[in-house]
mmCIF file of all heavy atoms in Angstrom:
data_model
loop_
_atom_site.group_PDB
_atom_site.id
_atom_site.type_symbol
_atom_site.label_atom_id
_atom_site.label_comp_id
_atom_site.label_asym_id
_atom_site.label_seq_id
_atom_site.Cartn_x
_atom_site.Cartn_y
_atom_site.Cartn_z
ATOM 1 N N SER A 528 104.834 148.555 74.880
ATOM 2 C CA SER A 528 105.187 147.129 74.904
ATOM 3 C C SER A 528 106.517 146.877 74.229
ATOM 4 O O SER A 528 107.282 146.011 74.652
ATOM 5 C CB SER A 528 104.078 146.296 74.246
ATOM 6 O OG SER A 528 103.994 146.591 72.881
ATOM 7 N N GLN A 529 106.843 147.650 73.205
ATOM 8 C CA GLN A 529 108.141 147.453 72.540
ATOM 9 C C GLN A 529 109.284 147.751 73.487
ATOM 10 O O GLN A 529 110.282 147.035 73.546
ATOM 11 C CB GLN A 529 108.247 148.350 71.303
ATOM 12 C CG GLN A 529 107.503 147.822 70.103
ATOM 13 C CD GLN A 529 108.235 146.660 69.451
ATOM 14 O OE1 GLN A 529 109.149 146.072 70.007
ATOM 15 N NE2 GLN A 529 107.838 146.329 68.260
ATOM 16 N N LEU A 530 109.147 148.854 74.224
ATOM 17 C CA LEU A 530 110.204 149.203 75.170
ATOM 18 C C LEU A 530 110.337 148.136 76.242
ATOM 19 O O LEU A 530 111.442 147.767 76.650
ATOM 20 C CB LEU A 530 109.904 150.566 75.811
ATOM 21 C CG LEU A 530 110.312 151.769 74.958
ATOM 22 C CD1 LEU A 530 109.723 153.045 75.510
ATOM 23 C CD2 LEU A 530 111.829 151.886 74.899
ATOM 24 N N ARG A 531 109.222 147.631 76.683
ATOM 25 C CA ARG A 531 109.258 146.624 77.741
ATOM 26 C C ARG A 531 109.912 145.331 77.259
ATOM 27 O O ARG A 531 110.583 144.637 78.003
ATOM 28 C CB ARG A 531 107.848 146.320 78.239
ATOM 29 C CG ARG A 531 107.231 147.429 79.058
ATOM 30 C CD ARG A 531 105.812 147.092 79.445
ATOM 31 N NE ARG A 531 105.764 146.101 80.492
ATOM 32 C CZ ARG A 531 105.697 146.359 81.787
ATOM 33 N NH1 ARG A 531 105.685 147.617 82.209
ATOM 34 N NH2 ARG A 531 105.627 145.399 82.675
ATOM 35 N N GLN A 532 109.675 145.018 75.999
ATOM 36 C CA GLN A 532 110.216 143.757 75.487
ATOM 37 C C GLN A 532 111.655 143.867 75.042
ATOM 38 O O GLN A 532 112.433 142.935 75.180
ATOM 39 C CB GLN A 532 109.389 143.279 74.289
ATOM 40 C CG GLN A 532 108.036 142.726 74.670
ATOM 41 C CD GLN A 532 107.141 142.620 73.447
ATOM 42 O OE1 GLN A 532 107.619 142.665 72.309
ATOM 43 N NE2 GLN A 532 105.873 142.502 73.676
ATOM 44 N N SER A 533 111.990 145.008 74.444
ATOM 45 C CA SER A 533 113.263 145.059 73.731
ATOM 46 C C SER A 533 114.400 145.581 74.584
ATOM 47 O O SER A 533 115.560 145.452 74.203
ATOM 48 C CB SER A 533 113.141 145.958 72.493
ATOM 49 O OG SER A 533 111.952 145.663 71.811
ATOM 50 N N PHE A 534 114.094 146.199 75.707
ATOM 51 C CA PHE A 534 115.156 146.795 76.513
ATOM 52 C C PHE A 534 115.108 146.192 77.911
ATOM 53 O O PHE A 534 114.089 145.668 78.342
ATOM 54 C CB PHE A 534 114.967 148.320 76.590
ATOM 55 C CG PHE A 534 115.164 148.994 75.274
ATOM 56 C CD1 PHE A 534 114.172 148.972 74.306
ATOM 57 C CD2 PHE A 534 116.354 149.656 74.988
ATOM 58 C CE1 PHE A 534 114.356 149.579 73.084
ATOM 59 C CE2 PHE A 534 116.540 150.275 73.771
ATOM 60 C CZ PHE A 534 115.546 150.244 72.817
ATOM 61 N N SER A 535 116.271 146.313 78.576
ATOM 62 C CA SER A 535 116.296 145.726 79.911
ATOM 63 C C SER A 535 116.559 146.787 80.958
ATOM 64 O O SER A 535 117.294 147.749 80.740
ATOM 65 C CB SER A 535 117.338 144.611 80.006
ATOM 66 O OG SER A 535 118.470 144.932 79.279
ATOM 67 N N TYR A 536 115.952 146.557 82.087
ATOM 68 C CA TYR A 536 116.056 147.490 83.199
ATOM 69 C C TYR A 536 117.249 147.106 84.047
ATOM 70 O O TYR A 536 117.273 146.026 84.649
ATOM 71 C CB TYR A 536 114.745 147.436 84.007
ATOM 72 C CG TYR A 536 114.796 148.195 85.297
ATOM 73 C CD1 TYR A 536 114.882 149.582 85.314
ATOM 74 C CD2 TYR A 536 114.761 147.535 86.520
ATOM 75 C CE1 TYR A 536 114.914 150.279 86.495
ATOM 76 C CE2 TYR A 536 114.792 148.228 87.714
ATOM 77 C CZ TYR A 536 114.878 149.599 87.690
ATOM 78 O OH TYR A 536 114.921 150.292 88.878
ATOM 79 N N VAL A 537 118.223 147.980 84.068
ATOM 80 C CA VAL A 537 119.425 147.717 84.850
ATOM 81 C C VAL A 537 119.622 148.887 85.793
ATOM 82 O O VAL A 537 119.711 150.040 85.368
ATOM 83 C CB VAL A 537 120.659 147.551 83.924
ATOM 84 C CG1 VAL A 537 121.907 147.373 84.758
ATOM 85 C CG2 VAL A 537 120.459 146.367 83.001
ATOM 86 N N ASP A 538 119.697 148.548 87.097
ATOM 87 C CA ASP A 538 119.799 149.597 88.119
ATOM 88 C C ASP A 538 121.001 150.494 87.951
ATOM 89 O O ASP A 538 120.976 151.682 88.241
ATOM 90 C CB ASP A 538 119.891 148.923 89.498
ATOM 91 C CG ASP A 538 118.520 148.855 90.130
ATOM 92 O OD1 ASP A 538 117.616 149.533 89.634
ATOM 93 O OD2 ASP A 538 118.368 148.102 91.106
ATOM 94 N N GLN A 539 122.087 149.932 87.519
ATOM 95 C CA GLN A 539 123.343 150.675 87.525
ATOM 96 C C GLN A 539 123.655 151.330 86.176
ATOM 97 O O GLN A 539 124.665 152.016 86.048
ATOM 98 C CB GLN A 539 124.512 149.727 87.875
ATOM 99 C CG GLN A 539 124.292 148.981 89.161
ATOM 100 C CD GLN A 539 124.132 149.911 90.337
ATOM 101 O OE1 GLN A 539 124.821 150.931 90.422
ATOM 102 N NE2 GLN A 539 123.211 149.593 91.225
ATOM 103 N N ALA A 540 122.782 151.086 85.201
ATOM 104 C CA ALA A 540 123.095 151.672 83.880
ATOM 105 C C ALA A 540 122.712 153.135 83.880
ATOM 106 O O ALA A 540 121.531 153.487 83.982
ATOM 107 C CB ALA A 540 122.330 150.907 82.796
ATOM 108 N N VAL A 541 123.651 154.013 83.800
ATOM 109 C CA VAL A 541 123.388 155.455 83.862
ATOM 110 C C VAL A 541 123.913 156.100 82.582
ATOM 111 O O VAL A 541 124.695 155.532 81.834
ATOM 112 C CB VAL A 541 124.047 156.103 85.089
ATOM 113 C CG1 VAL A 541 123.440 155.551 86.341
ATOM 114 C CG2 VAL A 541 125.546 155.867 85.062
ATOM 115 N N VAL A 542 123.469 157.315 82.372
ATOM 116 C CA VAL A 542 123.963 158.086 81.217
ATOM 117 C C VAL A 542 125.288 158.722 81.613
ATOM 118 O O VAL A 542 125.360 159.432 82.614
ATOM 119 C CB VAL A 542 122.935 159.169 80.836
ATOM 120 C CG1 VAL A 542 123.447 159.994 79.687
ATOM 121 C CG2 VAL A 542 121.603 158.529 80.503
ATOM 122 N N PRO A 543 126.343 158.447 80.881
ATOM 123 C CA PRO A 543 127.632 159.044 81.284
ATOM 124 C C PRO A 543 127.628 160.550 81.122
ATOM 125 O O PRO A 543 126.815 161.116 80.367
ATOM 126 C CB PRO A 543 128.636 158.378 80.338
ATOM 127 C CG PRO A 543 127.832 157.845 79.206
ATOM 128 C CD PRO A 543 126.446 157.618 79.685
#
Side-chain angles (χ1 to χ4, degrees):
Chain A
S528 66
Q529 281 285 14
L530 278 168
R531 288 177 75 93
Q532 286 165 17
S533 315
F534 293 78
S535 38
Y536 171 68
V537 176
D538 264 346
Q539 306 300 321
V541 296
V542 178

